Amino acid sequence: MIDSNVNENFLDVKILLEFLKRYKKILIIIFIFSAIFSSVFCLFIPPEYKSTIILFPTSGGSVSQSLITESQQKKDILNFGEEENVEQLMQMLMSSEIRNKIIKNFNLFKHYNIDPKSKYANTKLYKKYESNIKITRTKYMSIQVDVIDRDPKIAAAIANSIAEAVDSLYDKIRYERAYKSFLIVEKEYEHQKAKIKAIEDSLAALSKLGVIEVKTQTEMYSEQHAIAIATGNQKAKDEIEKKLEILAKYGSTHLLLKEQLTEEVKRLAVVEAKYKEAKIDLEANLPNTFIVSPAEPADKKYYPICWLIVSISVISTLILAVFVLILLEKFVKKKIFEKEFSQLKNEIKKIEFELPKYEVMESYFKTKSIFGLILKWKWHLIVLILAAAGLAALFSSPMFIKPKYQSSATLFPANITPVSDESESEQMLEYLESNEIKFRVIEAFNLWEHYSVQKDNSNSKWKILKLYNSSINIRKTPNEAIIITATDTDPQIASDIVDSIIKYYNDLVLRLNIEKSKEIVSIYKKEYEKKQREVDSLGELLKKFRTDYGLLDMSAQVEKYTEAVYLGRSLDEAREVLGNWKNFGAEYQKTDSLFYFAIKDLYKNKNIYESSLRDANKFQTYAHVVSKPFPADRKSYPIRWLIVLMSMIGAFVAGLIVIAIIESSKKSE
């Protein structure tokens, strides 16, 4: 079996060589003419030149965190970017903002000979831009930008300008975010300084009343009070007692303010550090890419590759010529065979049963060329194909199918904190595909009427959502970006829908974050108010101990009044104070300790409460839009040439099937 196949293959090659030898003169002539024609044709193709620039993204870390912060998680700004940074850079390089900037700077309408006022001018320009500018990711985690143009200098200039433009776009996006962050931190910084100033003013007012350092003053006044009693200095005793009364009255308030000042100064140090970081991030202007190979004007054309064009043209022409010659030879042999067979059939009718029934064999084994069938019915098939093309062109026209236009936007998530294993982009996708956004868009653009859906029907929501999902597509790219595409019969509505989806997305995320922050505000406000009441209650109790029982500082008073009793000075007053310490000292110490820790808890809850309150009141966006939507100037649906082509192919195949059935019926009869 193997030997038979080898022999057959050998015979096939031998037959082919004999065929080529038989028609060698014709093939040589075709070879020469095709080579000359393709070479001449190559001369008329305008040469194009390619310039390439290769760049790496930076690590993308904050400048302040990289240079100032001592965190172990900080990123070195001198490092190359990781995969995520490469994907982001890819998406930015392909953004509409960079494309529009290059088009404007190099006046590409004029450069590509496209009339800005002509029909589909933008679509033609964008296609030309995409065909001439290729952005690819290399296996070394770098980005390669290739620019092809008829002018080598312009090709190099465009490539370098794209690198500059993406750096500017990075700066713009970061500045917008850094500026908003700076305003938030600056407001908090000024607020914190104002709070400290208010506490300092209160302490200054207490200082004017003579309350400076409660513990030290208590020790000193208690000692001097004991001395005044011992020496019988009534005037000094009265003066000191007034000062002790002031300490007893305002001592708790002074301690509270001092503790508050300590906590607020700590908080100010943190806020001030963040303020300085935000200011550095706002004012820093470092490059966002590493250009390892800048673009240079090419000195050799990139296209056309004449030897390749000539080679392909010659080879394809020779193959086509061989194919046509084979068909012609078979067609001629077939005609001769049919003529001889007909003569032979008429001469030997008696032994007809022994001859091969050629037509029957053709019917079963399909040995007859399909081209014969097509040639026989060619006019019918031509009419059928033309009719199908005409009907397809008619039914795909605006009379029957309304043209639809597409508008899209590309964006990255920002200021989103993942709450599960999903990435920021995946979480953003979930928000964008939520029913809340869908129905806001439906109501804002009255899509019920626009899509001709009756709101009163039982399945109206299912219908409107089905039409919405078929017209609006939201997907994640391999570069972790999100692309929103809207299709509509009105190009302006399609663009406005994409804009609205982005706006409603920001509104939704902001509202959910505010709601969550308000929950935390509500919880910690109650805790803060509860702890404030506890501090006030303990403060009043301490005030009572100080004013009613003269208990100010246990160590100082017990020491001085014990000494006074031991020396026999003012026994009644000294014994009264010592008796009060004996009866109420433990309760006073307990209350004083509770007061101290209550103040600590109070300011801890206060900080969380104020932080949550800031989150509940702040406004920020949650997307970086790198490609903004715009009204399309060319329809995206229907693709008429494709409909017409498929209709023609379908009509041709259906016609062949019908013809085969007709021919088969005739042969059977």
Side-chain angles (χ1 to χ4, degrees):
M1 185 69 181
I2 296 174
D3 292 341
S4 175
N5 290 336
V6 172
N7 290 333
E8 287 178 5
N9 293 334
F10 177 75
L11 289 173
D12 289 342
V13 173
K14 188 177 180 181
I15 292 169
L16 179 61
L17 292 174
E18 289 177 355
F19 175 83
L20 295 174
K21 186 177 180 182
R22 192 161 57 246
Y23 292 101
K24 64 182 179 182
K25 290 183 179 180
I26 297 174
L27 293 174
I28 289 171
I29 293 170
I30 291 172
F31 171 81
I32 293 170
F33 272 100
S34 63
I36 293 171
F37 178 78
S38 56
S39 299
V40 172
F41 178 75
C42 228
L43 297 175
F44 288 95
I45 300 176
E48 293 183 343
Y49 300 85
K50 184 171 83 169
S51 287
T52 300
I53 185 170
I54 298 175
L55 55 157
F56 283 92
T58 58
S59 60
S62 168
V63 177
S64 60
Q65 291 180 354
S66 299
L67 299 177
I68 298 175
T69 307
E70 295 297 330
S71 172
Q72 294 181 353
Q73 298 181 349
K74 69 179 183 179
K75 294 183 178 180
D76 190 347
I77 58 173
L78 300 179
N79 288 342
F80 290 143
E82 299 174 357
E83 185 173 1
E84 182 182 355
N85 304 115
V86 176
E87 291 170 350
Q88 290 175 353
L89 180 59
M90 276 280 292
Q91 202 66 53
M92 288 189 178
L93 284 166
M94 294 186 289
S95 67
S96 61
E97 187 163 340
I98 289 180
R99 179 191 62 199
N100 295 337
K101 189 173 183 179
I102 297 299
I103 289 170
K104 181 181 178 182
N105 291 348
F106 290 89
N107 194 10
L108 293 186
F109 275 107
K110 182 179 180 181
H111 186 66
Y112 292 150
N113 296 320
I114 298 173
D115 184 3
K117 297 180 181 178
S118 65
K119 193 176 183 181
Y120 310 138
N122 287 332
T123 302
K124 292 176 184 175
L125 180 62
Y126 296 159
K127 285 186 176 180
K128 187 70 175 175
Y129 179 93
E130 290 170 1
S131 65
N132 286 359
I133 299 172
K134 300 294 182 184
I135 301 167
T136 55
R137 172 178 166 177
T138 70
K139 62 181 179 180
Y140 305 110
M141 298 287 285
S142 64
I143 304 296
Q144 180 173 314
V145 181
D146 297 317
V147 180
I148 300 171
D149 200 89
R150 294 179 182 178
D151 188 332
K153 292 182 179 179
I154 290 180
I158 288 175
N160 290 322
S161 294
I162 288 174
E164 292 175 6
V166 77
D167 202 71
S168 299
L169 181 59
Y170 257 118
D171 286 338
K172 178 184 174 184
I173 292 173
R174 286 182 175 176
Y175 181 83
E176 289 175 358
R177 189 172 181 180
Y179 181 67
K180 291 179 180 179
S181 300
F182 176 75
L183 291 179
I184 293 170
V185 176
E186 184 182 39
K187 182 179 178 182
E188 177 62 18
Y189 179 58
E190 295 299 330
H191 176 66
Q192 194 67 23
K193 288 200 297 184
K195 281 169 47 176
I196 290 175
K197 182 68 168 56
I199 296 171
E200 289 174 343
D201 291 343
S202 298
L203 287 172
L206 290 177
S207 296
K208 291 180 180 179
L209 294 174
V211 183
I212 299 172
E213 178 58 50
V214 175
K215 185 174 182 179
T216 304
Q217 286 182 289
T218 300
E219 291 178 359
M220 292 296 298
Y221 290 157
S222 298
E223 181 180 357
Q224 294 301 317
H225 187 255
I227 293 172
I229 293 173
T231 56
N233 190 343
Q234 188 62 35
K235 183 178 179 182
K237 177 176 173 293
D238 293 340
E239 288 292 329
I240 293 171
E241 285 178 351
K242 288 180 182 179
K243 293 182 183 296
L244 288 172
E245 286 178 6
I246 292 173
L247 280 179
K249 186 175 182 181
Y250 298 108
S252 298
T253 304
H254 186 271
L255 290 174
L256 184 65
L257 288 172
K258 278 198 70 176
E259 189 64 35
Q260 185 178 357
L261 181 62
T262 303
E263 294 296 327
E264 296 299 345
V265 168
K266 290 179 183 178
R267 172 69 180 163
L268 178 64
V270 174
V271 174
E272 186 176 11
K274 291 185 178 294
Y275 173 78
K276 290 178 180 179
E277 289 177 6
K279 192 172 183 181
I280 290 172
D281 290 336
L282 182 66
E283 297 174 350
N285 187 20
L286 295 178
N288 301 289
T289 57
F290 296 114
I291 299 175
V292 296
S293 180
E296 297 177 354
D299 56 1
K300 185 178 180 180
K301 67 178 180 178
Y302 169 76
Y303 177 84
I305 307 172
C306 287
W307 69 266
L308 184 61
I309 293 174
V310 171
S311 300
I312 292 173
S313 300
V314 169
I315 293 170
S316 58
T317 304
L318 287 174
I319 292 172
L320 181 62
V322 170
F323 183 70
V324 171
L325 288 171
I326 291 172
L327 290 178
L328 287 173
E329 189 177 80
K330 283 193 173 186
F331 183 73
V332 171
K333 286 182 178 180
K334 177 188 168 186
K335 290 295 182 183
I336 295 171
F337 175 77
E338 287 179 348
K339 185 178 180 180
E340 290 176 352
F341 181 77
S342 179
Q343 291 174 356
L344 185 62
K345 185 177 180 182
N346 292 331
E347 291 176 1
I348 49 174
K349 292 182 178 180
K350 293 181 180 180
I351 55 172
E352 182 178 296
F353 66 94
E354 296 178 2
L355 298 173
K357 294 183 179 181
Y358 182 74
E359 297 296 333
V360 176
M361 290 174 65
E362 294 290 343
S363 174
Y364 284 100
F365 301 106
K366 308 298 180 186
T367 56
K368 187 176 180 180
S369 174
I370 194 68
F371 291 103
L373 193 63
I374 294 172
L375 288 172
K376 182 178 178 181
W377 293 82
K378 60 181 178 293
W379 297 113
H380 300 79
L381 289 172
I382 289 171
V383 171
L384 180 63
I385 291 170
L386 291 176
L391 290 172
L394 175 65
F395 285 107
S396 62
S397 67
M399 292 173 58
F400 293 91
I401 302 177
K402 288 185 178 180
K404 292 185 177 181
Y405 302 84
Q406 272 191 357
S407 186
S408 62
T410 305
L411 50 155
F412 282 101
N415 302 319
I416 291 180
T417 304
V419 294
S420 64
D421 293 335
E422 292 180 333
S423 65
E424 292 181 3
S425 298
E426 290 169 339
Q427 193 167 333
M428 184 182 197
L429 200 61
E430 295 292 339
Y431 283 124
L432 289 166
E433 291 180 339
S434 65
N435 283 337
E436 180 173 336
I437 290 179
K438 290 179 181 179
F439 280 106
R440 281 195 71 179
V441 172
I442 289 168
E443 295 298 334
F445 291 89
N446 194 15
L447 296 186
W448 300 97
E449 182 179 342
H450 192 62
Y451 291 156
S452 301
V453 177
Q454 295 293 330
K455 293 179 74 172
D456 299 333
N457 291 346
S458 57
N459 60 346
S460 59
K461 289 186 178 180
W462 175 81
K463 285 182 179 178
I464 195 71
L465 287 175
K466 184 179 179 182
L467 291 169
Y468 178 97
N469 293 331
S470 65
S471 300
I472 297 167
N473 177 261
I474 303 172
R475 62 184 177 86
K476 187 180 81 166
T477 71
N479 302 324
E480 292 296 316
I482 301 295
I483 294 180
I484 305 172
T485 305
T487 306
D488 199 86
T489 53
D490 187 330
Q492 187 62 53
I493 288 179
S495 177
D496 292 344
I497 284 176
V498 176
D499 264 330
S500 297
I501 289 173
I502 297 171
K503 179 183 180 301
Y504 297 153
Y505 157 77
N506 283 321
D507 293 345
L508 174 61
V509 180
L510 181 63
R511 180 176 62 78
L512 292 176
N513 285 346
I514 288 175
E515 287 177 359
K516 184 57 63 177
S517 297
K518 283 184 176 179
E519 289 179 10
I520 299 173
V521 166
S522 177
I523 293 169
Y524 279 94
K525 183 181 180 182
K526 291 178 181 178
E527 289 295 319
Y528 173 66
E529 291 175 347
K530 178 182 177 182
K531 192 59 66 174
Q532 183 67 63
R533 289 193 296 270
E534 182 182 346
V535 168
D536 292 342
S537 174
L538 292 170
E540 288 296 322
L541 190 56
L542 285 174
K543 184 178 179 180
K544 181 178 179 182
F545 279 125
R546 287 164 178 162
T547 54
D548 294 352
Y549 304 110
L551 305 181
L552 296 174
D553 184 89
M554 184 175 183
S555 58
Q557 287 183 301
V558 169
E559 179 185 353
K560 297 303 177 183
Y561 286 115
T562 301
E563 183 181 349
V565 171
Y566 179 76
L567 296 174
R569 302 168 182 165
S570 188
L571 295 177
D572 293 338
E573 291 188 27
R575 284 173 177 164
E576 182 183 356
V577 172
L578 291 174
N580 289 338
W581 274 113
K582 182 179 180 181
N583 295 327
F584 305 109
E587 189 66 26
Y588 176 88
Q589 293 285 76
K590 177 183 175 183
T591 304
D592 190 50
S593 297
L594 289 173
F595 182 71
Y596 173 79
F597 288 110
I599 291 174
K600 290 282 187 184
D601 292 340
L602 174 69
Y603 288 111
K604 179 182 177 182
N605 292 337
K606 184 182 179 184
N607 287 335
I608 298 174
Y609 165 68
E610 290 179 347
S611 176
S612 303
L613 192 61
R614 286 192 298 273
D615 290 338
N617 294 327
K618 73 181 178 184
F619 174 81
Q620 61 182 0
T621 57
Y622 299 89
H624 290 314
V625 182
V626 296
S627 287
K628 297 180 181 178
F630 61 90
D633 61 354
R634 185 170 185 175
K635 64 183 175 64
S636 62
Y637 175 85
I639 307 172
R640 293 186 71 188
W641 69 266
L642 184 61
I643 293 174
V644 171
L645 178 62
M646 296 305 295
S647 299
M648 292 171 68
I649 294 172
F652 176 72
V653 173
L656 281 180
I657 294 172
V658 172
I659 289 169
I661 294 171
I662 293 172
E663 288 290 322
S664 179
S665 299
K666 286 182 179 180
K667 289 172 185 177
S668 299
E669 291 174 0

